[in-house]
Amino acid sequence: MDILATVRLYIGEMVAQAGPQMKVLLMDKETTGIVSCAFAQSEMMHKEVYLFEKLDSPVPREQIKHLKCIVFVRPTQENITLLCQELRTPKYAQYFIFFSNIANKSDIKQLAEADEEEVREVHEYFCDGIPLSKHLLSIGMRNPYDASFRLSTTSLLHIKQTIIALTLALKKKPTVCYQRTNEDCERLAGEVAQTMRREDGLYRNCKEDTMLLIVDRSEDCATPLLNQWTYEAMVHELLGIQNNRVTIDGQNLVLSELQDDFYEKNVSANFGEIGQNIKTLMEQFQSKTQIHKNVESIADMKSFVDEYPQFKKMSGTVSKHVSVVGELSRLVGTESLLEVSELEQSIVVDGDHSQCLDRIRVLLNNRKISNLNATRLVLLYALRFESNQSNDINGLINILKQREPAASSLVRSLLRFGGATRRKNELFGGQSAVEMTKRFIKGLKGVENVYTQHTPFLLQTIDAISRGKVNEQLYPKHASSEFVPRVDNIIIFMVGGATYQELFHVRAANERRLQSGGPAILLATTHMLNTKGFIEQLRAMGGGQ
Amino acid sequence: MDGGSTGIRQGFICPFCLVDLGSYNALAAHVENDHPEDANTPAVEQLKGFFDKAKRSIKRFDPGLDIENLRGRVSSGLTAVASSSSMTQIDETSPKQTHQNTPTTTRSNDPTPRFEAKSKSRERELRQRARRPELPPYRPEIGVTQKHTEYYVRCREASVNDLAVRTNTLIIRMDKLINEAPADPAKRKGKLTNPALAAAMQDEDEESAKKAEVRSLEKLADLAQRTSGHLRGLIGSSKGSRDGTEDAAEQLRVCVPCLSLLEKRELQMEARNPPALVSIYERLIILLNEISNLSPAYAKMASSINNGEALYSLSSAEEIRSKIARKQQEIDLISKSIEGDETENMGFRERQLRKNIRFVAIQTLQNVISNMQGLPTAEKYAELAELHRRKVARQVEEQRAIAQRAATTAARAIRSDTSSPEAIPAAKMTPSSSFIGRSVDDGWTPELSHSLHNNPFAEQVEQKHPLEEQRDIIKGYLSQAAAAGRLEEVEMLERNLRDLEIAMREHQIHTP
């Protein structure tokens, strides 16, 4: 399952349907994100698509009568209305309409009545989510929850539509499973299964070798609260990736595995390795050009790139990564991230209460620690030691209040959203004999890297499914969904946002598949989280109480 | 082919540079070394059908080695080629091949030990394969699509018909109005002969001018003329009176809905005569395609010539080079004219559109230029050619010597030593990995045209001489290559055709 390749094929086919001649691509807010992650703008231009317009742009669009227009939009009521207006006063010569999902017959009729003879083709091409990489699809929906921590009606509908389109894009007719402890997941699973039955005709040629698992973020709130050290996850945590783009010093940089070899190779590498890999490239360049210069630190790298423009040419995109890594390393230093990260890991992995409490108190009073990091530590503490009788959550909230006025409301929201009573799982390791033994062995072996000890809860689920041992108590099949005899593919939909750390494990599972088998995994989610985004989500849900 | 004919060259001739290498081993090694399938050079540059087949047949034809070894190699070669289509298929077929074919085809005096050794290594290989899970290579494909065009068109027809009727009625009314109007402009004012239209227009008095719009008679007549041909006569007659200054009398009032109908009509008419930009742009795209097709062919020629090879002539390379240069110039000029200058009056988006077209043209050109290798001067080329000749001759000698040595050792050791065929490095003999990774999307391959074959409906099929048949096929390829603008292939095919015709003369087959 490679959703990025599939979406590229869909978009390529749209262009092919429109045929030769100059073209304009008319999109909505969501489909703009889809196209921008699947193709570079210049790539589209080489396909004779020279202009990109938004259907809902507030500025009236210019009339250019010699253009063919490819319309790629979601079939929402709003878009249908706008399209009718467009067709009544057409700005382009011909229209080729592609809906990203199942459109109502009545809407198509409404369009036809507004049109005279400009429209040549009307299709449904099922790309209704942003393909961020091969194994990752995101809706790009900020905070899908309402104040009661439940999915709002509009988000639920949108998520359902995206899931339906995703299965159709991959030509899969999956069995639908869900996280039993979450009502939204159950409702979603039901609606997806129902739609699949209703649209049976569309699923005619779809394979029955896939499991769709719908889970909720509340199952694991620890992962989005941690600092990350693998490249992609780290960039998102510290700089924020928006549809594969990141902004540094006002400069917009594209981080796409599709167009950037170095990024593709290093996306899962840890912070130390990336610096090493850039250094190796520079040394290769030096030996080729017989330059002798000592490149040791990131600062050296930066000045090297400035001094040797030829390197920029040879290495292509590597110089871009020098500035990204440079910025990361600056932040690691100024915000004492190593110290913070070590403590975070101690909280979620070792869980020695009194030691953690002391260290958090020290860091909360350290001015070098940013407000965000102070908040994350307190939230992690609350999540971890919620049920520890001697915990001092209130004491920490009081210290944090000086930096974060909403401290107590944030902690309350977190515990209501993803606390022990709601998640009903063993997020921080169970008390079973197997778990104990595992921890014991780990203790004997020692840890390789103190900053990356924690693994997301999702990994346990992935491992279990890969071994064919799904806990049917936790993740039952929906009653109205059909049974699939052999599962070779898993689509995990995570409601409420996923992290790049989770994607890291999905990537790893897919790579393992090449060596030793196991199912292919695709991660889909409402949006990509980092700590900042997650805290904002909690803030919105807390409603400032 | 019959021996003794002087026109046909026989022996171990390299199909790429036509040098006789004396022995199979030398030829095979020469092909591997001097004509490697470089994964970096685009597939276009190789006349796929011809070259690949020639190479593969060289690799397969291996008299010096035992058949079993060869078979293993060929089948692994096949698997390498086939692996791109399906891995599971290979796993099923290859064991069958080894177990069924090997014993029967082994020609050696003492087949048993050798067979065992081979099959053991085979088994090991199979076991290794078995340990890996059966993962068919993932081929992304487009997902489900659903087409609604038919339903849409059906829905649209009803409303479009209604609109067409309204527009036509309007045009006919106007026809009458203009046609039956008095020739004298003074009389025309306010005296509409069509009572219905007159009534409609009188409704709109001067005060409600906001709703009504005034259009010149000329414009309307123009519109009407283009819509219904029978108005032409009227235009001709009214032209005389219009040559002077615009007369207020020559204006008609039209209500807003009718005006919008007319405007739509007008726009549709305009769409039928696209602006100049469209045809200029079409020319640009043709040129861009041509240059993208020419440049890889040139790259191949240039690198061969810079190598001192005699496969292409320097003058033909120069010709293509100047052809590319001319096209570059034209592309630059056309795209510049499309971009236009700042003073031209056009909308922001239109300007952006034109800029982007220019951008694509420039980017394509940059790509072409960066891949263009220079050509040596005639003197320098003569030097290079000499160097190359010497190098090849030296290699041929070396290969012959090695082959001879190998032959003698092999003869000595043939009974006991099974590894004698390894005198040729095994790694070099296995099909190169670029066989698998070769992209074919940009290549050009001629297709067998049916017209070249015998008419299937003819009662008596006239049996053609194989050479004659081959000549017809090459001719077909040639015309296809010429049509596709593949200069390189044209040259090669022409050479091929000449050789064939010489051969046919030798065989006293009639050549037209």
Side-chain angles (χ1 to χ4, degrees), chain A residues 110-129:
Chain A
Q110 199 187 329
L111 268 185
E113 283 163 1
D115 174 32
E116 278 164 35
E117 47 191 43
E118 274 79 13
V119 174
R120 299 299 150 108
E121 295 285 345
V122 180
H123 293 260
E124 288 162 0
Y125 277 21
F126 299 96
C127 0
D128 206 8

